[in-house]
Amino acid sequence: MAETILVLTHADETGSVLTTASLEAVSAGKELAAWLDASLTIGVVAAEASSAARSLAGVGARIFGVSGEAFAQARYASDAAACEALCKAAAATIVLTTGSSRFARVAAGVALRLGGCVDTHVTSIRCENGVEVSRWFYRQRIEAVITRAKRPWILLLDAGTYAPFEGGVEDVKVEQVAVALPAMRTTVIGMRSPELSAQTIRPEAKMLFVAGAGWTKKQSDGQVHAGEAGELILNFLSNTGASLGSSKSLVDQGGDGQPVLPFLTHMNQVGQTGSTPRHAKGLSTCCHGEEPHVVGWRFIGDRRAISLDPNCGWARGKADVVYVADAFKVMARVNELLAGH
Amino acid sequence: MELHIVVCAGIVPDPLQTLEPVMGPKGPALKNEMMLPAVLDPWAASSLYEAASLAAKNPGSKVWLVSLGPKAKLQQVMMTVAQKVSFELVAIDAPVSGFVDAQATAAVLAEAINGLAGLEKAKLLLFGGWESATRGAGVTMQIVGELLGISDQFMGVDQIEFLDDGSFEVLERVEGGKHQVSVCAGAPALFGWATGNLAEPRNNPQIGMANMRTVMPALQKAKAVSVAENDLQYVSASLPKQQRQTRVVKDMAVDAIARELVEWVGAK
C-alpha cells in the first residue's frame, strides 16, 4: 500500500518557532518517507503558521498550516480540531508527531475521529516487513516491536530519539487549512512554575543529577543535615546547569513528616512511577540503584553513582562507575573545584 | 454542587516484581502473570483519592470506580483499595496485561460508563491516570472521553480547584517542570491525573466494611468481556539486555574522586 506521511508540528511558547521535538519528528518523517518512497507533508499548528514554518526551509515537502489566536495555546478542543483538519487535508496514512504534552493530549482523540489508531512513546521506526515501531512497556522494563495494518496510524515519538531537522530559516510556502472550531469552554491562562527558589528541571541539560533519600538520613554524627544537603545540591546544579531528578522515596518524605529538600516536587521524580529523561550523563547520589529507580535511567548514557554501599544496585552492572564514598564530602569538594573553574 | 465522578483505574503488577515477557498464541504476556501480586495503577489511584476528596467537599456527589481486569485479581486489589476511600465499584472481568490494545480497552470502558445507572453527564467528571504503569500509552482516557463526547480534556493533572461560578481551574504538567493553567466552564470534563498533591489515605476499616457491601456483589456480577485485539501485532517483546562493566571505586580519597568527577562533568 502506498503510504502518505504527515508530520504534525507545533510552535513553542513564543509562538513563532517550531519546538525542537517537532523538528525531531520532521527528521523521522523524512527518513521514513525516503524508505517507503512515500509523499511527505508537514503540518504546522501555531498562532501564525507561516512564521513558525520558517525553520522548515529546504525540507522538501508540502507544508500545511493552521493559524489563528485559538491555536496559540495548547487546548484539547482547538488542537484536536486542528490536527484532525491537517490529517484530512494531507490524506495521511501515517502521521508522525512529537510526544510533547501538547500533542500527547490530543493524538488519541484525533485517531478516533479519523477512524485510525495511535501508538505513543515510539523510540524507533524500521521498514523490514512493512512499518514496524519500537516502544516500551511496563515503564521501560520491556521493549516490544509492533506493527498495524489499520490506517491512518498516528505515531508519537519520544523526544531525543531523532536529531532535529536543520534546514535554512527563510520564508516558505504554507498552504493554510481552515478549521471549524467547536464552542470553547476552556481558556488557557498561562504557565505557572512551582513556588520554588530555583527551577531545577531542565530537559535540555546534558546531565541529570539524581538525589536519593540518603541525603536526608542521619549522617555519621547522628544528625540530619537536610539544609546542608540542599545547599550542596543547588550549588552543583548552579555550577553545572544539570537537571535535578529524585527518587520516589525522597519526594514522598514530605507527606510523612520527615525532613525534605524544599525544592523537590513530584515532577522531579525519576523512575518507575516518575519520568524517564534523556540526558547524555547521569550522576546518582545517595540512591541505592534498585530496579524501580534504574528504570528511570534507561536512556541515560554515561552513568556514575556515589554511594556508601559497595554492594548497592548500581554496582551490579547498572552504572559505569560507582564511588564508594560520602556524597556530602565529595559534592562539597566538587563544588569547590567547579567554583574555581 | 453535586458531582458525578467516574474513576477509571486498572490494576498492574506490583512494581517491585520481576517481569518477564513470554510469547503466546495471542501475542506477548507476562510469565506467571496470574501469580504476580497486583496493585491499583499508581496514577489512577491518585485520581481515585482526588475524586474522593472532591466528593467529600461537595455533598451529594458520588464516585464510581470502573475497573477492568481478571475478577480474581480485582478482588485481591479491592481488599486494600476499599479501605482507603468510599466508592461504588463497577467491575469488568477481562484481560488486563499491558500488551492489550489500549484503544480496545477504552471502548469497553466507555460502554460500561454509558451504562451506569443514575449517571448524569452534565455533572460528569471523568478521572483516570494520565498513563498506566503497564502499557504507558496515555491514550485510553482520551478515547473514552471522545466516545462519551467530552471535548474538555486535561492530561498530567496535578490540581483542580472549583470557583464560585461552577467553573474550575486546572493545572496540567507540561515540559520543563511547569504547569499550564486553564479555566474550564465546568462539567463534563476529563482529567488524566499525574501524582496530584494528596497523600495516600490511611486504611480505614469502617470505610472498608461499608465499601465491601457493594464491592463483593459488583465482583460477583462482573460481566466477562473479551477485549478486541484490533489489528495490533507484536513482532517481538523482550527484556532489555544492557549490562555495564561497572568500575567500583573503593578507598579513593575524596579529593581524587571530586577531581575525577569534575573532569567527567566537563564544561558548563
Side-chain angles (χ1 to χ4, degrees):
Chain A
M1 182 177 77
E3 303 280 11
T4 304
I5 297 167
L6 168 68
V7 178
L8 282 176
T9 65
H10 65 79
D12 67 7
E13 281 182 48
T14 67
S16 57
V17 181
L18 294 183
T19 62
T20 303
S22 288
L23 294 171
E24 291 174 8
V26 172
S27 294
K30 282 181 71 70
E31 187 177 290
L32 184 60
W35 275 339
L36 297 171
D37 195 20
S39 69
L40 175 66
T41 305
I42 314 288
V44 179
V45 179
E48 180 44 69
S50 297
S51 300
R54 282 173 54 81
S55 52
L56 294 172
V59 73
R62 285 180 80 183
I63 301 174
F64 288 140
V66 165
S67 298
E69 207 44 48
F71 308 107
Q73 50 192 13
R75 169 179 48 197
Y76 186 87
S78 48
D79 280 349
C83 292
E84 181 186 3
L86 286 168
C87 290
K88 286 179 175 170
T93 59
I94 295 180
V95 181
L96 298 183
T97 187
T98 160
S100 64
S101 60
R102 181 167 187 176
F103 278 176
R105 187 187 296 116
V106 300
V110 174
L112 187 82
R113 291 180 188 186
L114 296 171
C117 51
V118 61
D119 281 293
T120 58
H121 293 303
V122 171
T123 53
S124 69
I125 304 174
R126 68 187 192 196
C127 299
E128 292 187 2
N129 301 301
V131 179
E132 298 176 345
V133 303
S134 295
R135 75 181 303 278
W136 293 77
F137 291 79
Y138 291 95
R139 302 299 296 171
Q140 286 73 44
R141 294 174 73 180
I142 295 172
E143 185 179 22
V145 178
I146 60 174
T147 186
R148 290 181 188 268
K150 197 171 185 180
R151 297 291 185 271
W153 188 10
I154 300 181
L155 297 168
L156 276 72
L157 300 163
D158 271 356
T161 51
Y162 286 84
F165 170 75
E166 289 183 17
V169 178
E170 57 186 70
D171 287 343
V172 295
K173 183 186 173 192
V174 176
E175 300 171 51
Q176 295 291 340
V177 174
V179 180
L181 284 175
M184 292 295 143
R185 299 175 65 246
T186 295
T187 306
V188 179
I189 305 301
M191 298 295 168
R192 188 181 298 169
S193 295
E195 293 172 359
L196 304 170
S197 57
Q199 176 57 264
T200 59
I201 300 174
R202 298 160 180 159
E204 306 298 328
K206 289 181 180 168
M207 183 172 178
L208 173 71
F209 179 89
V210 168
W215 281 105
T216 56
K217 302 298 182 197
K218 285 181 181 173
Q219 300 302 304
S220 53
D221 61 358
Q223 303 297 313
V224 169
H225 295 271
E228 185 187 344
E231 200 172 312
L232 286 170
I233 292 167
L234 288 179
N235 278 344
F236 180 77
L237 299 181
S238 169
N239 285 328
T240 61
S243 187
L244 178 62
S246 169
S247 64
K248 183 175 190 302
S249 53
L250 186 53
V251 290
D252 279 353
Q253 280 183 185
D256 298 337
Q258 296 181 50
V260 291
L261 301 176
F263 46 83
L264 283 177
T265 73
H266 277 98
M267 288 196 282
N268 291 95
Q269 193 181 315
V270 171
Q272 186 153 335
T273 50
S275 65
T276 311
R278 291 169 183 271
H279 301 278
K281 295 178 181 177
L283 177 61
S284 158
T285 53
C286 300
C287 171
H288 55 68
E290 295 304 336
E291 181 63 18
H293 296 179
V294 180
V295 163
W297 286 65
R298 192 68 83 200
F299 305 111
I300 303 294
D302 192 352
R303 307 173 188 173
R304 298 195 176 196
I306 304 172
S307 171
L308 284 169
D309 179 6
N311 297 313
C312 73
W314 293 111
R316 296 176 210 136
K318 294 172 185 163
D320 299 296
V321 182
V322 174
Y323 297 100
V324 183
D326 183 337
F328 277 81
K329 292 176 182 171
V330 172
M331 293 313 296
R333 184 66 184 129
V334 165
N335 282 336
E336 284 175 17
L337 292 170
L338 287 170
H341 268 208
Chain B
M1 176 175 26
E2 285 185 20
L3 299 171
H4 285 185
I5 309 176
V6 176
V7 180
C8 298
I11 56 178
V12 299
D14 187 312
L16 295 178
Q17 295 297 313
T18 300
L19 305 180
E20 187 179 336
V22 289
M23 288 303 279
K26 292 185 177 178
L30 293 180
K31 187 178 181 181
N32 297 325
E33 182 159 8
M34 288 305 288
M35 304 292 287
L36 297 173
V39 296
L40 202 63
D41 186 86
W43 295 277
S46 187
S47 79
L48 176 63
Y49 307 146
E50 295 281 354
S53 171
L54 202 53
K57 291 176 194 164
N58 292 277
S61 299
K62 182 170 180 179
V63 176
W64 286 267
L65 173 61
V66 181
S67 197
L68 182 151
K71 198 188 289 189
K73 303 297 285 184
L74 279 178
Q75 183 170 345
Q76 172 203 326
V77 173
M78 288 306 148
M79 290 298 161
T80 305
V81 175
Q83 297 193 48
K84 303 285 186 188
V85 295
S86 297
F87 57 82
E88 181 179 322
L89 177 68
V90 179
I92 305 163
D93 189 11
V96 74
S97 156
F99 301 110
V100 175
D101 193 7
Q103 287 141 99
T105 303
V108 173
L109 289 171
E111 187 183 347
I113 294 166
N114 259 330
L116 287 179
L119 178 69
E120 294 178 41
K121 285 194 180 163
K123 299 176 181 176
L124 173 61
L125 298 184
L126 187 57
F127 279 22
W130 67 333
E131 287 194 347
S132 70
T134 53
R135 194 170 186 276
V139 304
T140 310
M141 294 306 300
Q142 292 99 315
I143 296 173
V144 173
E146 276 286 321
L147 290 169
L148 295 176
I150 299 174
S151 59
D152 290 282
Q153 301 195 8
F154 306 90
M155 286 291 132
V157 176
D158 271 328
Q159 182 180 309
I160 58 173
E161 189 175 325
F162 272 83
L163 309 175
D164 292 339
D165 61 356
S167 64
F168 54 81
E169 181 189 85
V170 54
L171 301 189
E172 294 172 273
R173 289 187 187 185
V174 295
E175 286 76 11
K178 295 178 186 172
H179 284 117
Q180 176 170 295
V181 188
S182 306
V183 172
C184 180
L190 181 151
F191 305 84
W193 283 85
T195 49
N197 301 310
L198 292 180
E200 183 174 330
R202 296 185 187 282
N203 285 352
N204 184 331
Q206 285 184 322
I207 290 177
M209 288 171 68
N211 273 343
M212 276 303 157
R213 289 190 203 117
T214 58
V215 165
M216 293 313 290
L219 286 165
Q220 283 163 0
K221 68 181 180 188
K223 185 178 167 190
V225 300
S226 60
V227 180
E229 290 168 31
N230 287 343
D231 66 328
L232 175 61
Q233 290 181 25
Y234 285 86
V235 178
S236 64
S238 58
L239 294 176
K241 293 183 176 60
Q242 189 180 45
Q243 176 85 15
R244 291 163 190 253
Q245 296 298 316
T246 305
R247 175 166 66 97
V248 179
V249 179
K250 299 178 187 174
D251 305 323
M252 187 188 262
V254 165
D255 190 61
I257 294 174
R259 287 183 186 282
E260 192 171 298
L261 278 173
V262 169
E263 188 180 340
W264 174 70
V265 167
K268 184 174 178 179

